[in-house]
Coordinates of all heavy atoms in Angstrom, one line a residue:
M1 N 34.3 -11.9 19.2 CA 33.7 -11.7 17.9 C 32.3 -12.2 18.0 O 32.0 -13.3 18.5 CB 34.5 -12.5 16.9 CG 34.0 -12.2 15.5 SD 35.2 -12.9 14.3 CE 34.2 -13.1 12.9
A2 N 31.3 -11.4 17.5 CA 29.9 -11.8 17.5 C 29.7 -13.0 16.6 O 30.3 -13.1 15.5 CB 29.1 -10.6 17.1
K3 N 28.7 -13.8 17.0 CA 28.3 -14.9 16.1 C 27.6 -14.4 14.9 O 26.7 -13.5 15.0 CB 27.4 -15.9 16.9 CG 27.0 -17.1 16.2 CD 26.0 -17.9 17.0 CE 25.6 -19.1 16.2 NZ 24.5 -19.8 16.8
P4 N 27.9 -14.9 13.7 CA 27.2 -14.4 12.5 C 25.7 -14.7 12.6 O 25.3 -15.7 13.2 CB 27.8 -15.2 11.4 CG 29.0 -15.8 11.9 CD 28.9 -15.9 13.4
K5 N 24.9 -13.9 12.0 CA 23.5 -14.1 11.9 C 23.3 -14.9 10.6 O 23.9 -14.7 9.6 CB 22.8 -12.7 11.7 CG 21.2 -12.8 11.7 CD 20.6 -11.4 11.8 CE 19.1 -11.4 11.9 NZ 18.6 -10.1 12.0
S6 N 22.4 -15.9 10.7 CA 22.1 -16.8 9.6 C 20.6 -17.0 9.4 O 19.9 -17.4 10.3 CB 22.8 -18.2 9.9 OG 22.5 -19.1 8.9
L7 N 20.2 -16.6 8.2 CA 18.7 -16.7 7.9 C 18.5 -17.5 6.6 O 19.3 -17.3 5.6 CB 18.2 -15.3 7.7 CG 18.1 -14.4 8.9 CD1 17.5 -13.0 8.5 CD2 17.3 -15.0 10.1
I8 N 17.4 -18.2 6.5 CA 16.9 -18.7 5.3 C 15.7 -17.7 4.9 O 14.8 -17.5 5.7 CB 16.3 -20.1 5.5 CG1 17.4 -21.1 5.7 CG2 15.5 -20.5 4.2 CD1 18.2 -21.6 4.6
V9 N 15.8 -17.2 3.7 CA 14.9 -16.2 3.2 C 14.2 -16.7 2.0 O 14.8 -17.3 1.1 CB 15.6 -14.9 2.9 CG1 14.7 -13.8 2.5 CG2 16.5 -14.4 4.0
T10 N 12.8 -16.5 2.0 CA 12.0 -16.8 0.8 C 11.5 -15.5 0.2 O 10.9 -14.7 1.0 CB 10.9 -17.8 1.2 OG1 11.5 -19.0 1.7 CG2 10.1 -18.2 -0.1
I11 N 11.7 -15.3 -1.1 CA 11.2 -14.1 -1.8 C 10.1 -14.5 -2.8 O 10.4 -15.4 -3.6 CB 12.3 -13.4 -2.5 CG1 13.5 -13.0 -1.5 CG2 11.8 -12.1 -3.1 CD1 14.6 -14.0 -1.5
R12 N 8.9 -13.9 -2.7 CA 7.8 -14.3 -3.6 C 7.5 -13.1 -4.5 O 7.7 -11.9 -4.1 CB 6.6 -14.8 -2.8 CG 6.9 -16.0 -2.0 CD 5.7 -16.5 -1.3 NE 6.0 -17.6 -0.4 CZ 6.3 -18.9 -0.8 NH1 6.4 -19.2 -2.1 NH2 6.6 -19.8 0.1
G13 N 6.9 -13.4 -5.6 CA 6.4 -12.4 -6.5 C 7.0 -12.7 -7.9 O 7.2 -13.9 -8.2
K14 N 7.2 -11.7 -8.7 CA 7.8 -12.0 -10.0 C 9.4 -11.9 -9.8 O 10.0 -10.9 -9.9 CB 7.4 -10.9 -11.1 CG 8.0 -11.2 -12.4 CD 7.6 -10.0 -13.4 CE 8.4 -10.3 -14.7 NZ 8.3 -9.1 -15.6
V15 N 9.9 -13.1 -9.4 CA 11.3 -13.1 -9.0 C 12.1 -14.2 -9.8 O 13.3 -14.3 -9.5 CB 11.4 -13.4 -7.5 CG1 10.9 -12.2 -6.7 CG2 10.7 -14.6 -7.0
Q16 N 11.5 -14.9 -10.7 CA 12.3 -15.8 -11.5 C 12.2 -15.3 -13.0 O 11.2 -14.7 -13.4 CB 11.7 -17.2 -11.5 CG 12.0 -17.9 -10.1 CD 11.6 -19.4 -10.1 OE1 11.4 -20.0 -11.2 NE2 11.5 -19.9 -8.9
G17 N 13.3 -15.5 -13.7 CA 13.4 -15.0 -15.0 C 13.7 -13.5 -15.2 O 13.6 -12.9 -16.2
V18 N 14.1 -12.9 -14.0 CA 14.4 -11.4 -14.0 C 15.8 -11.1 -13.5 O 16.1 -10.0 -13.2 CB 13.3 -10.7 -13.2 CG1 12.0 -10.8 -13.9 CG2 13.3 -11.2 -11.8
G19 N 16.7 -12.1 -13.4 CA 18.0 -11.9 -12.9 C 18.2 -11.8 -11.4 O 19.2 -11.3 -10.9
F20 N 17.2 -12.3 -10.7 CA 17.1 -12.1 -9.3 C 18.3 -12.9 -8.6 O 18.9 -12.3 -7.7 CB 15.8 -12.7 -8.7 CG 15.5 -12.0 -7.4 CD1 14.5 -11.0 -7.3 CD2 16.0 -12.5 -6.2 CE1 14.2 -10.4 -6.1 CE2 15.7 -11.9 -5.0 CZ 14.8 -10.8 -4.9
R21 N 18.6 -14.1 -9.0 CA 19.7 -14.8 -8.3 C 21.1 -14.1 -8.6 O 21.9 -14.0 -7.6 CB 19.8 -16.2 -8.8 CG 18.6 -17.1 -8.4 CD 18.6 -18.4 -9.0 NE 18.5 -18.3 -10.5 CZ 19.0 -19.2 -11.3 NH1 19.5 -20.3 -10.9 NH2 18.9 -19.0 -12.6
Y22 N 21.3 -13.6 -9.8 CA 22.6 -13.0 -10.1 C 22.7 -11.7 -9.3 O 23.7 -11.3 -8.8 CB 22.7 -12.8 -11.6 CG 22.7 -14.1 -12.3 CD1 21.6 -14.6 -12.9 CD2 23.9 -14.9 -12.3 CE1 21.5 -15.8 -13.5 CE2 23.8 -16.1 -12.9 CZ 22.7 -16.6 -13.5 OH 22.7 -17.8 -14.1
W23 N 21.6 -10.9 -9.2 CA 21.5 -9.7 -8.5 C 21.8 -10.0 -7.0 O 22.5 -9.3 -6.3 CB 20.1 -9.0 -8.7 CG 19.9 -7.8 -7.8 CD1 20.2 -6.6 -8.0 CD2 19.2 -7.9 -6.5 NE1 19.9 -5.8 -7.0 CE2 19.2 -6.5 -6.0 CE3 18.7 -8.9 -5.7 CZ2 18.7 -6.2 -4.8 CZ3 18.1 -8.5 -4.5 CH2 18.1 -7.2 -4.0
T24 N 21.1 -11.0 -6.5 CA 21.3 -11.4 -5.1 C 22.8 -11.7 -4.8 O 23.4 -11.3 -3.8 CB 20.5 -12.6 -4.7 OG1 19.1 -12.3 -4.8 CG2 20.7 -13.1 -3.3
Q25 N 23.4 -12.5 -5.7 CA 24.8 -12.8 -5.5 C 25.7 -11.6 -5.4 O 26.5 -11.4 -4.5 CB 25.3 -13.8 -6.6 CG 26.7 -14.2 -6.4 CD 27.2 -15.1 -7.6 OE1 26.9 -14.8 -8.8 NE2 27.8 -16.2 -7.3
T26 N 25.5 -10.6 -6.3 CA 26.2 -9.4 -6.4 C 26.0 -8.6 -5.1 O 27.0 -8.1 -4.5 CB 25.8 -8.6 -7.6 OG1 26.1 -9.4 -8.8 CG2 26.6 -7.3 -7.7
E27 N 24.8 -8.4 -4.7 CA 24.5 -7.6 -3.6 C 25.0 -8.2 -2.3 O 25.6 -7.5 -1.4 CB 23.0 -7.4 -3.4 CG 22.3 -6.6 -4.5 CD 22.9 -5.1 -4.6 OE1 23.0 -4.4 -3.6 OE2 23.3 -4.7 -5.7
A28 N 24.9 -9.5 -2.2 CA 25.4 -10.2 -1.0 C 27.0 -10.1 -0.9 O 27.5 -9.9 0.2 CB 25.0 -11.7 -1.0
Q29 N 27.6 -10.2 -2.1 CA 29.1 -10.1 -2.1 C 29.5 -8.7 -1.7 O 30.5 -8.5 -1.0 CB 29.6 -10.5 -3.4 CG 29.5 -12.0 -3.7 CD 29.9 -12.4 -5.1 OE1 29.8 -11.6 -6.1 NE2 30.2 -13.7 -5.3
K30 N 28.8 -7.7 -2.1 CA 29.1 -6.3 -1.7 C 29.0 -6.1 -0.2 O 29.8 -5.3 0.4 CB 28.1 -5.3 -2.4 CG 28.3 -5.1 -3.8 CD 27.2 -4.1 -4.3 CE 27.1 -4.0 -5.8 NZ 26.0 -3.1 -6.2
L31 N 28.1 -6.8 0.4 CA 27.9 -6.7 1.9 C 28.8 -7.7 2.6 O 28.8 -7.7 3.9 CB 26.4 -7.0 2.2 CG 25.4 -5.9 1.7 CD1 24.0 -6.4 1.9 CD2 25.7 -4.6 2.5
G32 N 29.6 -8.5 1.9 CA 30.4 -9.5 2.6 C 29.7 -10.7 3.2 O 30.2 -11.3 4.2
L33 N 28.5 -11.0 2.7 CA 27.8 -12.1 3.2 C 28.2 -13.4 2.5 O 28.7 -13.4 1.4 CB 26.3 -11.9 2.9 CG 25.6 -10.7 3.6 CD1 24.2 -10.4 3.1 CD2 25.7 -10.9 5.1
R34 N 27.9 -14.5 3.2 CA 28.1 -15.8 2.7 C 26.8 -16.5 2.5 O 25.8 -16.1 3.1 CB 29.0 -16.7 3.7 CG 30.4 -16.1 3.8 CD 31.2 -16.8 4.9 NE 30.7 -16.4 6.2 CZ 30.3 -17.2 7.2 NH1 30.4 -18.5 7.0 NH2 29.9 -16.7 8.3
G35 N 26.7 -17.6 1.7 CA 25.5 -18.3 1.6 C 25.2 -18.7 0.1 O 26.2 -18.9 -0.6
W36 N 24.0 -18.8 -0.2 CA 23.6 -19.3 -1.5 C 22.2 -18.7 -1.9 O 21.5 -18.3 -1.0 CB 23.6 -20.8 -1.7 CG 22.9 -21.6 -0.6 CD1 23.5 -22.2 0.5 CD2 21.5 -21.8 -0.4 NE1 22.6 -22.8 1.3 CE2 21.3 -22.5 0.8 CE3 20.4 -21.4 -1.1 CZ2 20.1 -22.9 1.3 CZ3 19.1 -21.7 -0.6 CH2 19.0 -22.5 0.5
V37 N 21.8 -18.8 -3.2 CA 20.5 -18.5 -3.6 C 20.1 -19.5 -4.7 O 20.9 -19.9 -5.5 CB 20.5 -17.0 -4.2 CG1 21.4 -16.8 -5.3 CG2 19.1 -16.6 -4.5
R38 N 18.8 -19.8 -4.7 CA 18.3 -20.7 -5.7 C 16.8 -20.4 -6.1 O 16.1 -19.9 -5.3 CB 18.4 -22.2 -5.3 CG 17.5 -22.5 -4.1 CD 17.6 -24.0 -3.7 NE 16.7 -24.2 -2.6 CZ 17.0 -24.9 -1.5 NH1 18.2 -25.4 -1.3 NH2 16.1 -25.1 -0.5
N39 N 16.4 -20.9 -7.3 CA 15.0 -20.8 -7.6 C 14.3 -22.0 -7.0 O 14.9 -23.1 -6.9 CB 14.9 -20.9 -9.2 CG 15.2 -19.6 -9.8 OD1 15.1 -18.5 -9.2 ND2 15.4 -19.7 -11.1
E40 N 13.1 -21.8 -6.7 CA 12.2 -22.9 -6.1 C 11.2 -23.3 -7.2 O 10.8 -22.5 -8.0 CB 11.6 -22.5 -4.8 CG 12.6 -22.2 -3.7 CD 13.3 -23.4 -3.2 OE1 12.7 -24.6 -3.3 OE2 14.5 -23.3 -2.8
S41 N 10.7 -24.5 -7.1 CA 9.7 -25.0 -8.1 C 8.4 -24.3 -8.0 O 7.6 -24.3 -8.9 CB 9.5 -26.5 -7.9 OG 9.0 -26.8 -6.6
D42 N 8.1 -23.6 -6.9 CA 6.8 -22.9 -6.7 C 6.9 -21.4 -7.3 O 5.9 -20.7 -7.1 CB 6.4 -22.8 -5.3 CG 7.3 -22.1 -4.3 OD1 8.3 -21.5 -4.8 OD2 7.0 -22.0 -3.1
G43 N 8.0 -21.1 -7.9 CA 8.2 -19.7 -8.5 C 8.9 -18.7 -7.6 O 9.1 -17.6 -8.0
S44 N 9.1 -19.2 -6.3 CA 9.8 -18.3 -5.4 C 11.4 -18.4 -5.5 O 11.8 -19.3 -6.3 CB 9.4 -18.6 -4.0 OG 9.9 -19.8 -3.6
V45 N 12.1 -17.6 -4.8 CA 13.5 -17.6 -4.7 C 13.8 -17.8 -3.3 O 13.2 -17.2 -2.4 CB 14.2 -16.4 -5.3 CG1 15.7 -16.4 -5.0 CG2 14.0 -16.3 -6.8
C46 N 14.8 -18.7 -3.0 CA 15.2 -19.0 -1.6 C 16.7 -18.7 -1.5 O 17.5 -19.0 -2.4 CB 14.9 -20.5 -1.3 SG 15.3 -20.9 0.4
A47 N 17.1 -18.1 -0.3 CA 18.5 -17.8 -0.1 C 18.9 -18.1 1.3 O 18.1 -17.9 2.3 CB 18.7 -16.3 -0.4
L48 N 20.1 -18.5 1.5 CA 20.7 -18.6 2.8 C 21.7 -17.4 2.9 O 22.5 -17.3 2.0 CB 21.5 -19.9 3.0 CG 22.4 -20.0 4.2 CD1 21.6 -20.0 5.5 CD2 23.3 -21.2 4.2
I49 N 21.5 -16.5 3.9 CA 22.4 -15.4 4.0 C 23.0 -15.4 5.4 O 22.3 -15.6 6.4 CB 21.7 -14.0 3.7 CG1 20.4 -13.8 4.6 CG2 21.4 -13.9 2.3 CD1 19.8 -12.4 4.4
V50 N 24.3 -15.3 5.4 CA 25.1 -15.5 6.7 C 26.1 -14.3 6.8 O 26.9 -14.1 5.8 CB 25.9 -16.8 6.7 CG1 26.6 -17.0 8.0 CG2 24.9 -18.0 6.5
G51 N 26.2 -13.7 7.9 CA 27.2 -12.6 8.1 C 26.8 -11.8 9.3 O 25.9 -12.1 10.1
P52 N 27.5 -10.7 9.4 CA 27.2 -9.8 10.6 C 25.8 -9.3 10.5 O 25.2 -9.1 9.4 CB 28.2 -8.6 10.3 CG 29.2 -9.1 9.4 CD 28.6 -10.2 8.6
E53 N 25.2 -9.1 11.7 CA 23.8 -8.8 11.8 C 23.4 -7.6 10.9 O 22.4 -7.6 10.2 CB 23.4 -8.5 13.2 CG 21.9 -8.3 13.4 CD 21.5 -8.3 14.9 OE1 22.3 -8.5 15.8 OE2 20.3 -8.1 15.1
H54 N 24.2 -6.5 11.0 CA 23.9 -5.3 10.2 C 23.8 -5.5 8.7 O 23.0 -5.0 8.0 CB 24.8 -4.1 10.5 CG 26.2 -4.3 10.0 ND1 27.2 -5.1 10.6 CD2 26.8 -3.8 8.9 CE1 28.3 -5.1 9.9 NE2 28.1 -4.3 8.8
A55 N 24.8 -6.4 8.2 CA 24.8 -6.7 6.8 C 23.6 -7.6 6.4 O 23.0 -7.4 5.3 CB 26.1 -7.4 6.4
V56 N 23.3 -8.6 7.2 CA 22.1 -9.4 7.0 C 20.8 -8.6 6.9 O 20.0 -8.7 6.0 CB 22.0 -10.6 8.0 CG1 20.7 -11.3 7.9 CG2 23.2 -11.5 7.8
D57 N 20.7 -7.7 7.9 CA 19.5 -6.8 7.9 C 19.4 -5.9 6.7 O 18.4 -5.7 6.1 CB 19.5 -5.9 9.2 CG 19.3 -6.8 10.5 OD1 18.9 -7.9 10.3 OD2 19.6 -6.3 11.5
K58 N 20.6 -5.4 6.2 CA 20.6 -4.6 5.0 C 20.1 -5.4 3.8 O 19.4 -5.0 2.9 CB 22.0 -4.1 4.7 CG 22.3 -2.8 5.4 CD 23.7 -2.3 5.0 CE 24.1 -1.1 5.7 NZ 25.4 -0.5 5.3
M59 N 20.6 -6.7 3.7 CA 20.2 -7.6 2.6 C 18.7 -7.9 2.6 O 18.1 -7.9 1.6 CB 21.0 -8.9 2.6 CG 20.9 -9.7 1.4 SD 21.7 -8.9 0.0 CE 20.7 -9.6 -1.4
L60 N 18.2 -8.0 3.8 CA 16.7 -8.2 3.9 C 16.0 -7.1 3.3 O 15.0 -7.2 2.6 CB 16.3 -8.5 5.4 CG 16.6 -9.8 6.0 CD1 16.2 -9.8 7.4 CD2 15.8 -10.9 5.2
K61 N 16.4 -5.8 3.6 CA 15.8 -4.7 3.0 C 15.9 -4.6 1.5 O 15.0 -4.3 0.8 CB 16.4 -3.4 3.7 CG 15.9 -3.1 5.1 CD 16.4 -1.8 5.6 CE 15.9 -1.5 7.0 NZ 15.7 -2.5 7.9
R62 N 17.1 -5.0 1.0 CA 17.3 -5.0 -0.4 C 16.4 -6.1 -1.1 O 16.0 -5.8 -2.3 CB 18.8 -5.3 -0.7 CG 19.6 -4.1 -0.3 CD 21.1 -4.3 -0.6 NE 21.8 -3.2 -0.1 CZ 23.1 -3.0 -0.2 NH1 23.9 -3.9 -0.9 NH2 23.7 -1.9 0.3
F63 N 16.2 -7.2 -0.5 CA 15.3 -8.2 -1.0 C 13.9 -7.6 -1.3 O 13.2 -8.0 -2.2 CB 15.2 -9.4 -0.1 CG 16.3 -10.4 -0.2 CD1 16.8 -11.0 0.9 CD2 16.8 -10.8 -1.4 CE1 17.8 -12.0 0.9 CE2 17.8 -11.7 -1.5 CZ 18.3 -12.3 -0.3
E64 N 13.4 -6.7 -0.4 CA 12.1 -6.1 -0.6 C 12.0 -5.3 -1.9 O 10.9 -5.2 -2.4 CB 11.8 -5.3 0.6 CG 11.6 -6.1 1.9 CD 11.4 -5.2 3.1 OE1 11.3 -4.0 3.0 OE2 11.4 -5.8 4.2
E65 N 13.1 -4.8 -2.4 CA 13.1 -4.1 -3.7 C 13.4 -5.0 -4.9 O 12.7 -5.0 -5.9 CB 14.1 -3.0 -3.6 CG 13.7 -1.9 -2.6 CD 12.4 -1.2 -2.9 OE1 12.1 -0.9 -4.1 OE2 11.6 -1.0 -1.9
G66 N 14.5 -5.8 -4.7 CA 15.0 -6.7 -5.8 C 15.5 -5.9 -7.0 O 15.6 -4.7 -6.9
P67 N 16.0 -6.6 -8.0 CA 16.5 -5.9 -9.2 C 15.3 -5.2 -10.0 O 14.1 -5.5 -9.7 CB 17.1 -7.1 -10.0 CG 16.3 -8.3 -9.6 CD 16.0 -8.0 -8.1
G68 N 15.6 -4.4 -10.9 CA 14.7 -3.5 -11.6 C 13.5 -4.3 -12.2 O 12.4 -3.8 -12.2
A69 N 13.8 -5.5 -12.8 CA 12.7 -6.2 -13.5 C 11.8 -7.0 -12.6 O 10.8 -7.6 -13.0 CB 13.3 -7.1 -14.6
A70 N 12.2 -7.2 -11.3 CA 11.5 -8.0 -10.4 C 10.3 -7.2 -9.8 O 10.3 -6.0 -9.8 CB 12.4 -8.5 -9.3
S71 N 9.3 -7.9 -9.3 CA 8.2 -7.4 -8.5 C 8.0 -8.2 -7.3 O 7.4 -9.3 -7.4 CB 7.0 -7.3 -9.4 OG 5.9 -6.8 -8.6
V72 N 8.6 -7.8 -6.2 CA 8.6 -8.6 -4.9 C 7.3 -8.3 -4.2 O 6.9 -7.2 -3.9 CB 9.8 -8.2 -4.0 CG1 9.7 -9.0 -2.7 CG2 11.1 -8.5 -4.8
S73 N 6.6 -9.4 -3.9 CA 5.3 -9.3 -3.2 C 5.4 -9.6 -1.7 O 4.7 -9.1 -0.8 CB 4.2 -10.2 -3.8 OG 4.6 -11.5 -3.7
R74 N 6.4 -10.5 -1.3 CA 6.6 -10.9 0.1 C 8.0 -11.5 0.3 O 8.5 -12.2 -0.5 CB 5.5 -12.0 0.3 CG 5.5 -12.4 1.8 CD 4.2 -13.3 2.0 NE 4.2 -13.7 3.4 CZ 3.7 -14.8 3.9 NH1 3.1 -15.6 3.0 NH2 3.8 -15.2 5.1
V75 N 8.5 -11.1 1.5 CA 9.8 -11.6 1.9 C 9.6 -12.2 3.3 O 9.1 -11.5 4.2 CB 10.9 -10.5 1.9 CG1 12.2 -11.1 2.5 CG2 11.1 -9.9 0.6
T76 N 9.9 -13.5 3.5 CA 9.9 -14.1 4.8 C 11.2 -14.7 5.1 O 12.0 -15.1 4.2 CB 8.8 -15.2 4.9 OG1 9.1 -16.2 3.8 CG2 7.4 -14.6 4.6
S77 N 11.5 -14.7 6.4 CA 12.8 -15.3 6.8 C 12.7 -16.1 8.1 O 11.7 -15.8 8.9 CB 13.8 -14.2 7.0 OG 13.5 -13.3 8.1
E78 N 13.6 -17.0 8.3 CA 13.6 -17.8 9.6 C 15.1 -18.1 9.9 O 15.9 -18.1 9.0 CB 12.8 -19.1 9.4 CG 13.3 -20.0 8.4 CD 12.4 -21.3 8.3 OE1 11.3 -21.1 7.9 OE2 13.0 -22.4 8.5
S79 N 15.4 -18.2 11.1 CA 16.7 -18.4 11.6 C 17.2 -19.8 11.1 O 16.4 -20.7 11.0 CB 16.8 -18.4 13.1 OG 18.1 -18.6 13.6
S80 N 18.5 -19.8 10.8 CA 19.1 -21.1 10.3 C 20.4 -21.4 11.0 O 21.2 -20.5 11.3 CB 19.4 -21.0 8.8 OG 20.2 -22.1 8.4
G81 N 20.6 -22.6 11.4 CA 21.9 -23.0 12.0 C 22.9 -23.5 11.0 O 24.0 -24.0 11.3
K82 N 22.6 -23.2 9.7 CA 23.5 -23.8 8.6 C 24.6 -22.8 8.2 O 25.4 -23.1 7.3 CB 22.7 -24.1 7.4 CG 21.6 -25.1 7.6 CD 20.7 -25.3 6.3 CE 19.6 -26.2 6.6 NZ 18.8 -26.4 5.4
G83 N 24.7 -21.7 8.9 CA 25.7 -20.7 8.5 C 27.2 -21.1 8.5 O 27.9 -20.6 7.7
Q84 N 27.5 -21.9 9.4 CA 28.9 -22.3 9.6 C 29.5 -22.9 8.3 O 30.7 -22.8 8.1 CB 29.1 -23.2 10.8 CG 28.7 -22.6 12.1 CD 27.2 -22.5 12.3 OE1 26.4 -23.1 11.6 NE2 26.8 -21.8 13.4
S85 N 28.7 -23.6 7.5 CA 29.2 -24.3 6.3 C 29.3 -23.5 5.1 O 29.8 -23.9 4.1 CB 28.4 -25.6 6.1 OG 27.1 -25.2 5.8
A86 N 28.7 -22.3 5.1 CA 28.6 -21.4 3.9 C 30.0 -20.9 3.6 O 30.7 -20.4 4.5 CB 27.6 -20.3 4.1
D87 N 30.4 -21.0 2.3 CA 31.7 -20.5 1.9 C 31.5 -19.6 0.7 O 31.1 -20.2 -0.4 CB 32.6 -21.7 1.6 CG 34.0 -21.2 1.2 OD1 34.4 -20.1 1.6 OD2 34.7 -22.0 0.5
G88 N 31.7 -18.3 0.7 CA 31.4 -17.5 -0.4 C 29.9 -17.3 -0.6 O 29.1 -17.6 0.4
F89 N 29.5 -16.8 -1.7 CA 28.1 -16.7 -2.0 C 27.8 -17.2 -3.4 O 28.3 -16.7 -4.4 CB 27.6 -15.2 -1.9 CG 26.1 -15.2 -1.7 CD1 25.6 -15.1 -0.4 CD2 25.2 -15.3 -2.7 CE1 24.2 -15.1 -0.2 CE2 23.8 -15.3 -2.5 CZ 23.3 -15.2 -1.3
N90 N 27.0 -18.3 -3.4 CA 26.9 -19.1 -4.7 C 25.4 -19.1 -5.2 O 24.5 -19.1 -4.4 CB 27.4 -20.5 -4.5 CG 28.8 -20.5 -4.1 OD1 29.7 -20.0 -4.8 ND2 29.1 -21.0 -2.8
I91 N 25.3 -19.3 -6.5 CA 24.0 -19.6 -7.1 C 24.0 -21.1 -7.2 O 24.9 -21.7 -7.7 CB 23.8 -18.9 -8.4 CG1 23.8 -17.4 -8.3 CG2 22.6 -19.4 -9.2 CD1 23.9 -16.6 -9.6
V92 N 22.9 -21.7 -6.6 CA 22.8 -23.2 -6.7 C 21.6 -23.6 -7.4 O 20.7 -22.9 -7.6 CB 22.8 -23.8 -5.2 CG1 24.2 -23.5 -4.5 CG2 21.7 -23.3 -4.4
G93 N 21.6 -24.9 -7.9 CA 20.5 -25.4 -8.6 C 20.6 -25.0 -10.1 O 21.5 -24.3 -10.5
S94 N 19.6 -25.4 -10.8 CA 19.6 -25.0 -12.3 C 18.2 -24.5 -12.6 O 17.2 -24.6 -11.9 CB 19.9 -26.2 -13.1 OG 18.9 -27.2 -12.8
D95 N 18.1 -23.9 -13.8 CA 16.8 -23.3 -14.2 C 15.8 -24.3 -14.7 O 16.0 -25.1 -15.4 CB 17.1 -22.3 -15.3 CG 17.7 -21.0 -14.8 OD1 17.3 -20.6 -13.7 OD2 18.6 -20.5 -15.5

């Protein structure tokens, strides 16, 4: 069995106050991904996405569009070794 791909992703633009975290949770669950999503104090959204490479790659493409009310200007990602501890896909932190 292939090792899951694990990325920390930062999404910038108009991504807070538009349902981005809830949309991310729904999309990630559809793809069978594990991890979490949270708002950051700088106005960005950060997510840990863990799963099969093809599903992680699909989620990265979906982040570029976001939900209807969002306006994504930039998506960056970096490899993460934190994937083994992810259970389900959760919204973390508070507004």
Side-chain angles (χ1 to χ4, degrees):
M1 188 170 156
K3 182 180 177 192
K5 187 172 183 178
S6 177
L7 295 177
I8 292 283
V9 183
T10 301
I11 305 98
R12 298 187 187 284
K14 183 183 173 193
V15 294
Q16 288 191 15
V18 294
F20 204 100
R21 292 174 300 155
Y22 299 99
W23 172 87
T24 297
Q25 183 181 45
T26 300
E27 294 299 311
Q29 289 171 339
K30 286 180 193 174
L31 292 170
L33 296 171
R34 294 172 288 131
W36 49 257
V37 61
R38 69 178 180 223
N39 283 340
E40 297 292 330
S41 60
D42 66 359
S44 66
V45 169
C46 182
L48 169 68
I49 54 173
V50 182
E53 185 171 359
H54 72 279
V56 169
D57 291 344
K58 277 186 183 179
M59 191 68 207
L60 282 174
K61 285 184 177 34
R62 290 181 186 182
F63 278 140
E64 292 174 7
E65 296 298 320
S71 177
V72 177
S73 62
R74 187 168 176 210
V75 177
T76 57
S77 64
E78 62 185 61
S79 183
S80 167
K82 299 177 183 178
Q84 297 78 8
S85 62
D87 182 28
F89 200 94
N90 302 297
I91 296 171
V92 296
S94 58
D95 288 321

